[in-house]
Amino acid sequence: MATHAAMPGRRGARAHARTRHHTPLAWALPLVLGVIYGFYAAFIRRDGGPSTSGQVLLGLVSGAALAALCFALGRIQRSLPRELRAAAYGALTACAIGFLVSLTDTSVLRSTGLGLAVGAGVLVVSYYYLYSRET
């Protein structure tokens, strides 16, 4: 009499559940961050002069690289423990900020120091956020 409780599942539902679809935010957020970052990198390198093809190429490549890294981090972030996830966010931010500061023709120590300072701040804030949200 208890056989009605164990209904066999449909194969189509299981096969569909295995495939992962990206939400629009998973594509849009890295894309918007990459476009803004690329424009800002090209703007910094321009330094008040006329735009050149090298500056446009720098903006495209740096924006595409940041967008790809943000998308990749977004894909694997759920499988990382919170400490490693916070460190990944901090490292990505530190590299991005350090690169932007290095475009301003300042010393390597200044770009490294500012990148590490901002990255450490992002690490602390993201760890606190993740620690307070996960149980």
Side-chain angles (χ1 to χ4, degrees):
M1 292 294 273
T3 58
H4 69 281
M7 294 279 297
R10 296 185 315 200
R11 289 182 178 246
R14 283 188 187 170
H16 183 60
R18 287 184 198 155
T19 61
R20 288 187 157 183
H21 296 286
H22 304 297
T23 62
L25 187 62
W27 288 99
L29 186 62
L31 184 66
V32 168
L33 286 174
V35 167
I36 292 171
Y37 188 81
F39 276 137
Y40 194 61
F43 177 75
I44 288 174
R45 182 47 77 183
R46 184 174 162 222
D47 199 29
S51 294
T52 63
S53 59
Q55 295 161 358
V56 173
L57 183 64
L58 173 77
L60 287 174
V61 170
S62 61
L66 183 76
L69 289 172
C70 287
F71 182 75
L73 183 58
R75 292 287 296 159
I76 65 166
Q77 72 177 346
R78 296 285 180 206
S79 65
L80 299 174
R82 74 182 133 206
E83 295 87 5
L84 195 56
R85 192 184 317 178
Y89 282 123
L92 181 63
T93 306
C95 292
I97 295 297
F99 176 71
L100 285 179
V101 173
S102 73
L103 290 177
T104 61
D105 293 330
T106 59
S107 71
V108 174
L109 293 176
R110 182 174 182 206
S111 63
T112 303
L114 193 56
L116 286 176
V118 172
V122 169
L123 182 135
V124 169
V125 169
S126 62
Y127 179 75
Y128 175 76
Y129 176 78
L130 293 171
Y131 185 77
S132 65
R133 298 289 185 243
E134 293 179 358
T135 56

